[in-house]
Amino acid sequence: RTQFYRLVNVTAIEPSLQSQISGKNIILSWPTSSQNFSLQTTTNLADPNSWVTLTNVPAIVNLQNTVTNPVSDGMRFYRLKQ
């Protein structure tokens, strides 16, 4: 009987991206302990090449990287990418 195993790195924890609406802005935040992650955005989830890294420098608020963007018409998606 043959068995196969896959090694998974359980020590690497992906940061959680939080969002909230404040007036006409969306506030995105993630832990400052999550280093080397970039905030990216797209309007088209069907195109994997459409993600763009935001150039906003995050403000640090309560040990969270925080970026504030205006809410725009249409859908916009965000993710953290290492």
Side-chain angles (χ1 to χ4, degrees):
R1 179 176 147 172
T2 303
Q3 292 182 328
F4 295 92
Y5 297 92
R6 184 175 88 179
L7 179 63
V8 177
N9 184 355
V10 294
T11 59
I13 299 173
E14 298 293 323
S16 176
L17 181 62
Q18 304 294 317
S19 66
Q20 67 182 43
I21 299 294
S22 176
K24 295 183 178 184
N25 294 313
I26 183 168
I27 301 170
L28 301 150
S29 60
W30 65 99
T32 55
S33 60
S34 303
Q35 299 179 9
N36 302 319
F37 281 87
S38 298
L39 182 61
Q40 295 185 330
T41 188
T42 188
T43 57
N44 182 3
L45 289 178
D47 181 1
N49 296 315
S50 66
W51 289 95
V52 175
T53 299
L54 296 177
T55 58
N56 309 47
V57 176
I60 297 175
V61 178
N62 296 327
L63 298 175
Q64 296 282 310
N65 290 307
T66 305
V67 172
T68 302
N69 281 336
V71 173
S72 59
D73 294 336
M75 287 192 273
R76 183 163 293 279
F77 303 93
Y78 294 91
R79 73 177 181 183
L80 291 173
K81 182 75 172 170
Q82 191 172 34

